[in-house]
Structures are given as C-alpha cells and as structure tokens.
Amino acid sequence: YMAPEQRNPRIGPVTIRTDLYSLARIIVDLLNHSVGKCSQEGYRSTLVLPSQIPPGLDWILQKALNPAIEQRFASAEELL
C-alpha cells in the first residue's frame, strides 16, 4: 500500500498525505473483496462493481489516491 513517494523518495516527502493514500488503498481492497490487488494506475480499474460506489466516496478515493502529492488531502480533518 505504498504511495508513489514511498517507492521513489525523489517524488516528495513522506507525510500524512502518504498515510491517507495508504488508507484509501485499503478501502479500495475492502470494497473489491481483495487484498493487495489495487492497481497503481487507479483504483477504478480494480473494482468489480465501480458503479455501486457512492459518488462522495468515489470523490474521496480519487482525491486520496491522486498521484500528485499536493492534490491529496492535507490532513485527516480535511478528509472528514
């Protein structure tokens, strides 16, 4: 569940945004009933039934899994 910046430190620092990325990856696996199969290309490609994801949760997951660090949630409070 490593964020891109954990695999390649040149991308940027490891911060709370990194932890929220990992949390979102876990949520995707839970939604998909699979562990460790979330695609690095985007979570939607791994979901069995992406149309059943509520729009608000879809938005949260997309933001939390954004490859651009600065586009992710800056804190857990922002996510809530």
Side-chain angles (χ1 to χ4, degrees):
Y1 300 107
M2 292 174 68
E5 61 272 19
Q6 285 178 295
R7 288 188 305 278
N8 182 354
R10 290 178 291 196
I11 292 174
V14 173
T15 66
I16 186 67
R17 294 173 195 249
T18 307
D19 293 335
L20 296 173
Y21 179 99
S22 297
L23 174 63
R25 297 262 331 258
I26 291 168
I27 292 169
V28 168
D29 276 357
L30 291 172
L31 291 171
N32 201 34
H33 306 287
S34 65
V35 177
K37 296 184 180 176
C38 181
S39 169
Q40 295 300 318
E41 290 77 46
Y43 86 92
R44 287 184 177 168
S45 64
T46 64
L47 289 176
V48 175
L49 300 170
S51 63
Q52 293 184 354
I53 305 301
L57 180 56
D58 180 64
W59 180 82
I60 288 170
L61 292 173
Q62 284 205 48
K63 184 168 176 75
L65 292 170
N66 195 313
I69 299 168
E70 66 281 352
Q71 297 300 313
R72 296 184 209 148
F73 295 105
S75 67
E77 286 122 9
E78 184 183 341
L79 183 142
L80 298 174

Coordinates of all heavy atoms in Angstrom, one line a residue:
Y1 N 0.8 -1.2 0.0 CA 0.0 0.0 0.0 C 0.9 1.3 0.0 O 0.5 2.3 0.5 CB -0.9 0.0 1.2 CG -1.9 -1.2 1.2 CD1 -1.7 -2.3 2.0 CD2 -2.9 -1.3 0.2 CE1 -2.5 -3.4 2.0 CE2 -3.7 -2.4 0.2 CZ -3.5 -3.4 1.0 OH -4.3 -4.5 1.0
M2 N 2.0 1.2 -0.6 CA 2.9 2.3 -0.6 C 2.5 3.3 -1.6 O 2.1 3.0 -2.7 CB 4.3 1.8 -0.9 CG 4.9 0.9 0.2 SD 6.5 0.2 -0.3 CE 7.5 1.7 -0.4
A3 N 2.6 4.6 -1.2 CA 2.3 5.7 -2.0 C 3.5 5.9 -3.0 O 4.6 5.4 -2.7 CB 2.1 7.0 -1.2
P4 N 3.3 6.5 -4.1 CA 4.4 6.7 -5.0 C 5.7 7.3 -4.4 O 6.8 6.9 -4.7 CB 3.9 7.7 -6.1 CG 2.4 7.4 -6.0 CD 2.1 7.1 -4.6
E5 N 5.5 8.3 -3.5 CA 6.7 8.9 -2.8 C 7.4 8.0 -1.9 O 8.6 8.2 -1.5 CB 6.3 10.2 -2.1 CG 5.3 10.0 -1.0 CD 3.8 10.1 -1.4 OE1 3.5 9.9 -2.6 OE2 3.0 10.3 -0.6
Q6 N 6.8 6.9 -1.5 CA 7.5 5.9 -0.6 C 8.3 5.0 -1.5 O 9.4 4.5 -1.1 CB 6.5 5.0 0.2 CG 5.9 5.8 1.3 CD 4.9 4.9 2.0 OE1 3.8 4.6 1.5 NE2 5.2 4.6 3.3
R7 N 7.9 4.7 -2.7 CA 8.7 3.9 -3.6 C 9.8 4.7 -4.3 O 10.8 4.1 -4.6 CB 7.7 3.3 -4.7 CG 6.8 2.2 -4.2 CD 6.0 1.6 -5.3 NE 5.3 2.5 -6.2 CZ 4.1 3.0 -5.9 NH1 3.5 2.6 -4.7 NH2 3.5 3.8 -6.7
N8 N 9.6 6.0 -4.4 CA 10.6 6.8 -5.1 C 10.7 8.1 -4.3 O 9.9 9.1 -4.5 CB 10.2 7.1 -6.5 CG 11.3 7.9 -7.2 OD1 12.2 8.4 -6.6 ND2 11.1 8.1 -8.5
P9 N 11.6 8.2 -3.3 CA 11.7 9.4 -2.5 C 11.9 10.7 -3.3 O 11.7 11.8 -2.7 CB 12.9 9.1 -1.6 CG 13.0 7.7 -1.6 CD 12.6 7.2 -2.9
R10 N 12.4 10.7 -4.5 CA 12.6 11.9 -5.3 C 11.3 12.6 -5.6 O 11.3 13.7 -6.0 CB 13.4 11.6 -6.5 CG 14.8 11.2 -6.2 CD 15.6 10.8 -7.5 NE 15.0 9.6 -8.0 CZ 15.5 8.8 -8.8 NH1 16.6 9.1 -9.4 NH2 15.0 7.6 -9.2
I11 N 10.2 11.8 -5.5 CA 8.9 12.4 -5.9 C 8.5 13.4 -4.8 O 7.9 14.5 -5.1 CB 7.8 11.3 -6.0 CG1 8.1 10.4 -7.2 CG2 6.4 11.9 -6.0 CD1 7.2 9.2 -7.3
G12 N 8.8 13.1 -3.6 CA 8.4 14.1 -2.5 C 8.6 13.4 -1.1 O 8.8 12.2 -1.0
P13 N 8.3 14.2 -0.1 CA 8.5 13.7 1.3 C 7.3 12.8 1.7 O 6.2 12.9 1.1 CB 8.5 15.0 2.1 CG 7.7 15.9 1.3 CD 8.0 15.6 -0.1
V14 N 7.6 11.9 2.6 CA 6.5 11.1 3.2 C 5.8 11.9 4.3 O 6.5 12.4 5.2 CB 7.1 9.8 3.8 CG1 6.1 9.0 4.5 CG2 7.7 9.0 2.7
T15 N 4.5 12.1 4.2 CA 3.8 13.0 5.1 C 2.5 12.3 5.4 O 2.2 11.1 5.0 CB 3.5 14.3 4.5 OG1 2.6 14.1 3.4 CG2 4.7 15.0 4.0
I16 N 1.6 13.0 6.1 CA 0.2 12.5 6.4 C -0.5 12.1 5.1 O -1.3 11.2 5.1 CB -0.6 13.5 7.3 CG1 -1.9 12.9 7.7 CG2 -0.8 14.8 6.6 CD1 -1.8 11.7 8.7
R17 N -0.2 12.9 4.1 CA -0.9 12.6 2.8 C -0.5 11.1 2.3 O -1.3 10.5 1.7 CB -0.4 13.6 1.7 CG -0.9 15.0 2.0 CD -0.3 16.0 1.0 NE -0.4 17.3 1.4 CZ -1.2 18.2 0.8 NH1 -1.8 17.9 -0.2 NH2 -1.2 19.4 1.3
T18 N 0.7 10.7 2.6 CA 1.1 9.3 2.3 C 0.3 8.3 3.1 O -0.2 7.3 2.5 CB 2.6 9.2 2.7 OG1 3.4 10.2 2.1 CG2 3.1 7.8 2.3
D19 N 0.0 8.6 4.4 CA -0.8 7.7 5.2 C -2.2 7.6 4.7 O -2.8 6.6 4.6 CB -0.8 8.1 6.6 CG 0.6 8.0 7.3 OD1 1.4 7.2 6.8 OD2 0.8 8.8 8.2
L20 N -2.8 8.8 4.2 CA -4.1 8.8 3.7 C -4.2 8.1 2.4 O -5.2 7.5 2.1 CB -4.6 10.3 3.6 CG -4.7 11.0 5.0 CD1 -5.1 12.4 4.8 CD2 -5.7 10.3 5.9
Y21 N -3.2 8.1 1.6 CA -3.1 7.4 0.4 C -3.2 5.9 0.7 O -4.0 5.1 0.1 CB -1.8 7.7 -0.4 CG -1.6 6.9 -1.7 CD1 -1.9 7.5 -2.9 CD2 -1.1 5.6 -1.7 CE1 -1.7 6.8 -4.1 CE2 -0.9 4.9 -2.8 CZ -1.2 5.5 -4.0 OH -1.0 4.8 -5.2
S22 N -2.4 5.4 1.7 CA -2.5 4.0 2.1 C -3.8 3.6 2.6 O -4.3 2.5 2.3 CB -1.4 3.7 3.1 OG -0.1 4.0 2.6
L23 N -4.4 4.5 3.4 CA -5.8 4.2 3.9 C -6.8 4.0 2.7 O -7.6 3.1 2.7 CB -6.2 5.3 4.8 CG -7.7 5.2 5.3 CD1 -7.9 4.0 6.2 CD2 -8.0 6.5 6.1
A24 N -6.7 4.9 1.8 CA -7.6 4.8 0.6 C -7.4 3.5 -0.2 O -8.3 2.8 -0.6 CB -7.4 6.0 -0.3
R25 N -6.1 3.0 -0.3 CA -5.8 1.8 -1.0 C -6.5 0.6 -0.2 O -7.0 -0.3 -0.8 CB -4.3 1.5 -1.1 CG -3.6 2.5 -1.9 CD -3.2 2.1 -3.3 NE -3.1 0.7 -3.6 CZ -1.9 0.1 -3.8 NH1 -0.8 0.8 -3.6 NH2 -1.9 -1.2 -4.1
I26 N -6.4 0.6 1.1 CA -7.1 -0.4 1.9 C -8.6 -0.4 1.7 O -9.2 -1.4 1.6 CB -6.7 -0.2 3.4 CG1 -5.2 -0.5 3.6 CG2 -7.6 -1.1 4.3 CD1 -4.7 -0.1 5.0
I27 N -9.2 0.8 1.7 CA -10.6 0.9 1.5 C -11.0 0.3 0.1 O -12.0 -0.4 0.0 CB -11.1 2.4 1.6 CG1 -11.0 2.8 3.0 CG2 -12.5 2.5 1.1 CD1 -11.1 4.3 3.2
V28 N -10.2 0.6 -0.9 CA -10.4 0.0 -2.2 C -10.4 -1.5 -2.2 O -11.3 -2.2 -2.7 CB -9.4 0.5 -3.3 CG1 -9.5 -0.3 -4.6 CG2 -9.7 2.0 -3.5
D29 N -9.4 -2.1 -1.5 CA -9.3 -3.5 -1.4 C -10.6 -4.1 -0.7 O -11.1 -5.1 -1.0 CB -8.1 -4.0 -0.7 CG -6.9 -4.0 -1.6 OD1 -7.1 -3.8 -2.8 OD2 -5.8 -4.3 -1.1
L30 N -11.0 -3.4 0.4 CA -12.2 -3.9 1.1 C -13.4 -3.8 0.2 O -14.2 -4.8 0.2 CB -12.4 -3.0 2.4 CG -11.4 -3.2 3.5 CD1 -11.6 -2.2 4.6 CD2 -11.4 -4.6 4.0
L31 N -13.6 -2.8 -0.6 CA -14.7 -2.7 -1.5 C -14.7 -3.8 -2.6 O -15.7 -4.2 -3.0 CB -14.7 -1.3 -2.2 CG -15.0 -0.1 -1.3 CD1 -14.8 1.2 -2.0 CD2 -16.5 -0.2 -0.8
N32 N -13.5 -4.1 -2.9 CA -13.3 -5.1 -4.0 C -13.2 -6.5 -3.5 O -13.0 -7.5 -4.3 CB -12.0 -4.7 -4.8 CG -12.1 -5.3 -6.2 OD1 -13.1 -5.5 -6.8 ND2 -10.9 -5.7 -6.7
H33 N -13.2 -6.7 -2.2 CA -13.1 -8.0 -1.6 C -11.8 -8.7 -2.0 O -11.7 -9.9 -2.2 CB -14.2 -8.9 -1.9 CG -15.6 -8.3 -1.6 ND1 -16.0 -8.2 -0.3 CD2 -16.5 -7.8 -2.3 CE1 -17.2 -7.6 -0.3 NE2 -17.5 -7.4 -1.5
S34 N -10.7 -7.9 -2.1 CA -9.4 -8.5 -2.4 C -8.3 -7.7 -1.7 O -8.5 -6.5 -1.4 CB -9.1 -8.4 -3.9 OG -9.0 -7.0 -4.3
V35 N -7.3 -8.4 -1.4 CA -6.2 -7.7 -0.6 C -5.0 -7.6 -1.5 O -4.6 -8.6 -2.1 CB -5.9 -8.5 0.7 CG1 -4.7 -7.9 1.4 CG2 -7.1 -8.6 1.6
G36 N -4.4 -6.5 -1.6 CA -3.1 -6.3 -2.3 C -3.3 -6.2 -3.8 O -2.3 -6.4 -4.5
K37 N -4.4 -6.0 -4.3 CA -4.6 -6.0 -5.8 C -5.0 -4.6 -6.4 O -5.4 -4.6 -7.5 CB -5.7 -7.0 -6.2 CG -5.2 -8.4 -5.9 CD -6.2 -9.5 -6.3 CE -5.8 -10.9 -6.0 NZ -6.7 -11.9 -6.3
C38 N -4.9 -3.6 -5.6 CA -5.2 -2.2 -6.1 C -4.2 -1.8 -7.1 O -3.0 -1.9 -6.9 CB -5.2 -1.2 -4.9 SG -5.7 0.4 -5.4
S39 N -4.6 -1.4 -8.3 CA -3.8 -1.0 -9.4 C -3.1 0.3 -9.1 O -3.7 1.2 -8.5 CB -4.6 -1.0 -10.6 OG -3.9 -0.3 -11.7
Q40 N -1.9 0.5 -9.5 CA -1.2 1.7 -9.3 C -1.7 2.7 -10.4 O -1.6 3.9 -10.2 CB 0.3 1.6 -9.6 CG 1.0 0.7 -8.5 CD 0.8 1.3 -7.1 OE1 1.0 2.5 -6.9 NE2 0.5 0.5 -6.1
E41 N -2.4 2.2 -11.4 CA -2.9 3.1 -12.4 C -4.2 3.8 -12.0 O -4.7 4.7 -12.6 CB -3.2 2.4 -13.7 CG -1.9 1.9 -14.4 CD -1.3 0.7 -13.8 OE1 -2.1 -0.3 -13.4 OE2 -0.1 0.7 -13.5
G42 N -4.8 3.4 -11.0 CA -6.1 4.0 -10.5 C -7.0 2.9 -9.9 O -7.0 1.8 -10.3
Y43 N -7.7 3.3 -8.9 CA -8.5 2.3 -8.2 C -9.6 1.8 -9.0 O -10.0 0.7 -8.8 CB -8.9 2.9 -6.8 CG -10.2 3.7 -6.8 CD1 -11.4 3.1 -6.6 CD2 -10.2 5.0 -7.1 CE1 -12.6 3.8 -6.6 CE2 -11.3 5.8 -7.1 CZ -12.5 5.1 -6.9 OH -13.7 5.8 -6.9
R44 N -10.2 2.6 -9.8 CA -11.4 2.1 -10.6 C -11.1 0.9 -11.4 O -12.0 0.1 -11.6 CB -11.9 3.3 -11.5 CG -12.6 4.3 -10.7 CD -13.1 5.4 -11.6 NE -13.8 6.4 -10.8 CZ -14.3 7.5 -11.3 NH1 -14.0 7.7 -12.6 NH2 -14.9 8.3 -10.6
S45 N -9.9 0.8 -11.9 CA -9.6 -0.4 -12.8 C -9.7 -1.7 -12.0 O -9.7 -2.8 -12.6 CB -8.3 -0.2 -13.5 OG -7.3 -0.2 -12.5
T46 N -9.6 -1.7 -10.7 CA -9.6 -2.9 -9.9 C -11.0 -3.2 -9.3 O -11.1 -4.3 -8.7 CB -8.6 -2.8 -8.7 OG1 -9.0 -1.7 -7.9 CG2 -7.2 -2.5 -9.3
L47 N -11.9 -2.3 -9.3 CA -13.2 -2.6 -8.7 C -14.1 -3.4 -9.6 O -14.2 -3.3 -10.8 CB -13.9 -1.2 -8.4 CG -13.4 -0.4 -7.3 CD1 -14.1 0.9 -7.2 CD2 -13.4 -1.1 -6.0
V48 N -14.7 -4.4 -8.9 CA -15.6 -5.3 -9.6 C -16.9 -4.5 -10.1 O -17.4 -4.7 -11.2 CB -16.0 -6.5 -8.8 CG1 -17.0 -7.4 -9.4 CG2 -14.7 -7.3 -8.4
L49 N -17.4 -3.7 -9.1 CA -18.7 -3.0 -9.4 C -18.5 -1.5 -9.1 O -19.1 -1.0 -8.1 CB -19.8 -3.6 -8.6 CG -20.1 -5.1 -8.8 CD1 -21.1 -5.6 -7.8 CD2 -20.7 -5.3 -10.2
P50 N -17.7 -0.8 -9.9 CA -17.4 0.6 -9.6 C -18.7 1.5 -9.5 O -18.7 2.5 -8.9 CB -16.4 1.1 -10.6 CG -16.6 0.1 -11.7 CD -17.0 -1.2 -11.1
S51 N -19.7 1.1 -10.3 CA -20.9 1.9 -10.3 C -21.7 1.9 -9.0 O -22.6 2.7 -8.8 CB -21.8 1.4 -11.4 OG -22.3 0.1 -11.2
Q52 N -21.3 0.9 -8.1 CA -22.0 0.9 -6.8 C -21.3 1.7 -5.7 O -21.8 1.7 -4.6 CB -22.1 -0.6 -6.4 CG -23.1 -1.4 -7.3 CD -23.2 -2.8 -6.8 OE1 -22.6 -3.2 -5.8 NE2 -24.1 -3.5 -7.4
I53 N -20.2 2.3 -6.1 CA -19.6 3.2 -5.1 C -20.3 4.5 -5.1 O -20.5 5.2 -6.1 CB -18.1 3.5 -5.6 CG1 -17.3 2.2 -5.8 CG2 -17.4 4.4 -4.6 CD1 -17.3 1.3 -4.6
P54 N -20.7 5.0 -3.9 CA -21.4 6.3 -3.8 C -20.5 7.4 -4.3 O -19.3 7.4 -4.1 CB -21.7 6.4 -2.3 CG -21.6 5.0 -1.7 CD -20.6 4.3 -2.6
P55 N -21.1 8.4 -5.0 CA -20.3 9.5 -5.5 C -19.4 10.2 -4.5 O -18.3 10.5 -4.9 CB -21.3 10.4 -6.1 CG -22.6 9.6 -6.3 CD -22.5 8.5 -5.3
G56 N -19.8 10.4 -3.3 CA -19.0 11.0 -2.3 C -17.8 10.2 -2.0 O -16.7 10.7 -1.8
L57 N -17.9 8.9 -1.8 CA -16.8 8.0 -1.6 C -15.9 7.9 -2.8 O -14.7 7.9 -2.6 CB -17.3 6.6 -1.2 CG -16.2 5.6 -0.8 CD1 -15.3 6.1 0.3 CD2 -16.9 4.3 -0.4
D58 N -16.4 7.9 -3.9 CA -15.6 7.9 -5.2 C -14.7 9.1 -5.2 O -13.6 9.0 -5.5 CB -16.6 7.9 -6.4 CG -15.8 7.9 -7.7 OD1 -15.1 6.9 -7.9 OD2 -15.9 8.8 -8.4
W59 N -15.3 10.3 -4.9 CA -14.5 11.5 -4.9 C -13.4 11.5 -3.8 O -12.3 11.9 -4.1 CB -15.4 12.7 -4.6 CG -14.7 14.0 -4.6 CD1 -14.3 14.8 -5.6 CD2 -14.2 14.7 -3.4 NE1 -13.7 15.9 -5.2 CE2 -13.6 15.9 -3.8 CE3 -14.3 14.4 -2.0 CZ2 -13.0 16.8 -3.0 CZ3 -13.7 15.3 -1.2 CH2 -13.0 16.5 -1.6
I60 N -13.7 11.0 -2.6 CA -12.7 10.9 -1.6 C -11.6 9.9 -2.0 O -10.4 10.3 -1.8 CB -13.4 10.3 -0.3 CG1 -14.2 11.4 0.4 CG2 -12.3 9.8 0.7 CD1 -15.1 10.9 1.5
L61 N -11.9 8.8 -2.6 CA -10.9 7.8 -3.0 C -10.0 8.4 -4.1 O -8.8 8.3 -4.1 CB -11.5 6.5 -3.4 CG -12.2 5.7 -2.3 CD1 -12.9 4.5 -2.9 CD2 -11.1 5.3 -1.3
Q62 N -10.6 9.1 -5.1 CA -9.9 9.7 -6.2 C -8.9 10.7 -5.6 O -7.7 10.8 -6.0 CB -10.8 10.3 -7.2 CG -11.4 9.3 -8.1 CD -11.8 9.8 -9.4 OE1 -11.0 10.5 -10.0 NE2 -13.0 9.6 -9.8
K63 N -9.4 11.6 -4.7 CA -8.5 12.6 -4.2 C -7.4 12.0 -3.3 O -6.2 12.4 -3.4 CB -9.3 13.6 -3.3 CG -8.5 14.8 -2.8 CD -9.5 15.9 -2.2 CE -8.7 17.0 -1.6 NZ -8.1 17.9 -2.6
A64 N -7.7 11.1 -2.5 CA -6.7 10.4 -1.6 C -5.7 9.6 -2.4 O -4.5 9.5 -2.0 CB -7.4 9.5 -0.6
L65 N -6.1 9.1 -3.6 CA -5.2 8.3 -4.4 C -4.5 9.1 -5.5 O -3.9 8.5 -6.4 CB -5.9 7.1 -4.9 CG -6.3 6.1 -3.9 CD1 -7.2 5.0 -4.5 CD2 -5.1 5.4 -3.2
N66 N -4.7 10.4 -5.5 CA -4.1 11.2 -6.6 C -2.6 11.0 -6.6 O -1.9 11.1 -5.5 CB -4.4 12.7 -6.3 CG -4.2 13.5 -7.6 OD1 -3.1 13.4 -8.2 ND2 -5.2 14.3 -7.9
P67 N -2.0 10.7 -7.7 CA -0.5 10.6 -7.8 C 0.2 11.9 -7.4 O 1.4 11.8 -6.9 CB -0.2 10.2 -9.2 CG -1.5 9.9 -9.9 CD -2.6 10.5 -9.0
A68 N -0.4 13.0 -7.6 CA 0.2 14.3 -7.3 C 0.0 14.6 -5.8 O -1.1 14.8 -5.3 CB -0.4 15.4 -8.1
I69 N 1.1 14.6 -5.0 CA 1.0 14.7 -3.6 C 0.2 15.9 -3.1 O -0.7 15.8 -2.3 CB 2.4 14.7 -2.9 CG1 3.2 13.5 -3.3 CG2 2.4 15.0 -1.4 CD1 4.7 13.5 -2.9
E70 N 0.5 17.0 -3.8 CA -0.2 18.3 -3.4 C -1.7 18.3 -3.6 O -2.4 19.1 -3.1 CB 0.5 19.5 -4.0 CG 0.4 19.6 -5.5 CD 1.3 18.6 -6.3 OE1 2.2 18.0 -5.7 OE2 1.1 18.5 -7.5
Q71 N -2.2 17.4 -4.4 CA -3.6 17.3 -4.7 C -4.4 16.4 -3.8 O -5.6 16.4 -3.8 CB -3.8 16.8 -6.2 CG -3.2 17.7 -7.2 CD -3.9 19.1 -7.2 OE1 -5.1 19.2 -7.1 NE2 -3.1 20.1 -7.2
R72 N -3.7 15.7 -2.9 CA -4.3 14.8 -1.9 C -4.8 15.6 -0.7 O -4.4 16.8 -0.5 CB -3.3 13.7 -1.5 CG -2.9 12.8 -2.6 CD -2.0 11.7 -2.0 NE -1.1 11.2 -3.0 CZ 0.1 10.8 -2.7 NH1 0.6 10.7 -1.5 NH2 0.9 10.4 -3.7
F73 N -5.5 15.0 0.1 CA -5.9 15.6 1.4 C -4.7 15.9 2.2 O -3.8 15.1 2.3 CB -6.8 14.6 2.2 CG -8.1 14.3 1.6 CD1 -8.4 13.1 1.0 CD2 -9.1 15.3 1.6 CE1 -9.6 12.9 0.3 CE2 -10.4 15.0 1.0 CZ -10.6 13.8 0.3
A74 N -4.7 17.1 2.8 CA -3.5 17.5 3.6 C -3.6 17.0 5.0 O -2.6 17.0 5.7 CB -3.5 19.1 3.6
S75 N -4.8 16.6 5.5 CA -4.9 16.1 6.8 C -6.2 15.2 6.9 O -7.0 15.2 6.0 CB -5.1 17.3 7.8 OG -6.4 17.9 7.5
A76 N -6.2 14.5 8.0 CA -7.4 13.6 8.2 C -8.7 14.5 8.4 O -9.8 14.1 8.0 CB -7.2 12.7 9.4
E77 N -8.5 15.6 9.0 CA -9.6 16.5 9.2 C -10.2 17.0 7.9 O -11.4 17.1 7.7 CB -9.2 17.7 10.1 CG -9.1 17.4 11.5 CD -7.7 17.7 12.0 OE1 -6.9 18.4 11.3 OE2 -7.4 17.3 13.2
E78 N -9.3 17.3 6.9 CA -9.8 17.7 5.6 C -10.5 16.6 4.9 O -11.5 16.8 4.2 CB -8.6 18.1 4.7 CG -9.0 18.6 3.4 CD -7.8 19.0 2.5 OE1 -6.7 19.2 3.0 OE2 -8.0 19.1 1.3
L79 N -10.1 15.3 5.1 CA -10.8 14.2 4.5 C -12.2 14.1 5.1 O -13.1 13.8 4.4 CB -10.0 12.9 4.8 CG -10.5 11.6 4.2 CD1 -9.4 10.8 3.8 CD2 -11.4 10.9 5.2
L80 N -12.3 14.3 6.4 CA -13.7 14.2 7.1 C -14.5 15.4 6.7 O -15.7 15.3 6.6 CB -13.5 14.2 8.6 CG -12.7 13.0 9.1 CD1 -12.5 13.1 10.6 CD2 -13.4 11.7 8.8

